[in-house]
Amino acid sequence: MSDHEQQPAPRRGKVLEALARAERKVFTRPAPKSANAQVKFLLTRVKGSAKALAERVGTSARTIERYRVGKLKKPQKRLQAALVEATESEWQPQVRAQARAQAATSRGMMVEVTAYFGFTCTGSSDDGRERQITTDISPTYVKQILQLQEAGATEEELHPIVAAAITESYFTEWGTRADDLRADFTSVSSISFRF
């Protein structure tokens, strides 16, 4: 791959991106910011293999070597995004793992979402519409969401479990009302999670 060839930057859905942002908020130290520092850090994660890192971020091994030694400093937007993504996904794995474990076993997570919610329930007169909801998600659902994320689930595969978590905590108030209610959400405008 030449220095000028580009692979398309990977796109994540809003739920997956929100989970990544929530993890970044638990970092105790800032991740490397410059391309040179990011490349040096990422090379430690791939045992010094410029070829492996180049394949991961979609560039050539020669370009990685140039950033490592400081000959190049300002990456193009696509490469910059790939370096940031790769760095933040590898940064402080123990801190992230601890936050995820606590959320999945005891604390749960807070979710704030603006999306179109549609309902199915016996005797329901509430038509679907766009709603802005902020609610806690139980550790049981957090565990399922995080397991799906780790398994490489798509955005569409995460929607039903996130909708079920919101239904339980917000619409049925932990099973105290609207027993048969099921809410689905589509057209997610914004979503954020907080560990």
Side-chain angles (χ1 to χ4, degrees):
M1 179 181 297
S2 76
D3 291 346
H4 301 292
E5 288 181 43
Q6 291 187 4
Q7 295 175 346
R11 269 187 59 80
R12 291 194 294 193
K14 291 181 180 178
V15 174
L16 290 168
E17 184 57 39
L19 288 167
R21 279 193 316 269
E23 284 185 344
R24 287 192 295 265
K25 289 180 183 177
V26 301
F27 290 161
T28 58
R29 295 185 329 234
K33 298 289 182 209
S34 73
N36 180 273
Q38 290 168 340
V39 165
K40 286 181 179 179
F41 168 72
L42 290 169
L43 283 170
T44 65
R45 296 300 199 206
V46 293
K47 298 180 173 80
S49 171
K51 182 179 178 184
L53 179 56
E55 289 173 4
R56 180 172 179 184
V57 297
T59 192
S60 69
R62 185 175 173 200
T63 299
I64 294 298
E65 285 299 328
R66 288 178 175 171
Y67 280 106
R68 185 184 62 76
V69 298
K71 287 184 179 176
L72 293 177
K73 298 194 186 298
K74 294 274 187 182
Q76 294 177 351
K77 287 182 181 182
R78 190 219 41 85
L79 179 56
Q80 181 179 9
L83 287 172
V84 168
E85 170 71 27
T87 300
E88 289 180 348
S89 71
E90 296 283 340
W91 189 248
Q92 292 191 324
Q94 293 174 334
V95 171
R96 279 197 327 270
Q98 183 179 18
R100 291 167 68 94
Q102 287 177 348
T105 57
S106 60
R107 278 196 319 216
M109 282 194 309
M110 178 71 69
V111 63
E112 184 174 322
V113 63
T114 302
Y116 182 87
F117 285 86
F119 304 95
T120 54
C121 182
T122 310
S124 173
S125 62
D126 197 4
D127 291 333
R129 64 179 186 271
E130 186 171 272
R131 295 174 184 252
Q132 182 177 4
I133 295 173
T134 303
T135 189
D136 287 314
I137 295 177
S138 74
T140 304
Y141 283 109
V142 171
K143 183 177 182 179
Q144 292 174 21
I145 291 167
L146 296 177
Q147 285 174 341
L148 284 171
Q149 178 196 24
E150 287 174 5
T154 65
E155 187 79 2
E156 292 75 27
E157 293 169 335
L158 286 169
H159 277 202
I161 191 70
V162 174
I166 293 169
T167 299
E168 181 182 312
S169 66
Y170 184 82
F171 295 111
T172 67
E173 295 179 3
W174 310 104
T176 60
R177 64 185 185 95
D179 292 336
D180 297 330
L181 181 73
R182 192 184 106 225
D184 296 316
F185 72 84
T186 57
S187 305
V188 178
S189 299
S190 67
I191 187 167
S192 65
F193 294 99
R194 193 169 49 243
F195 284 105

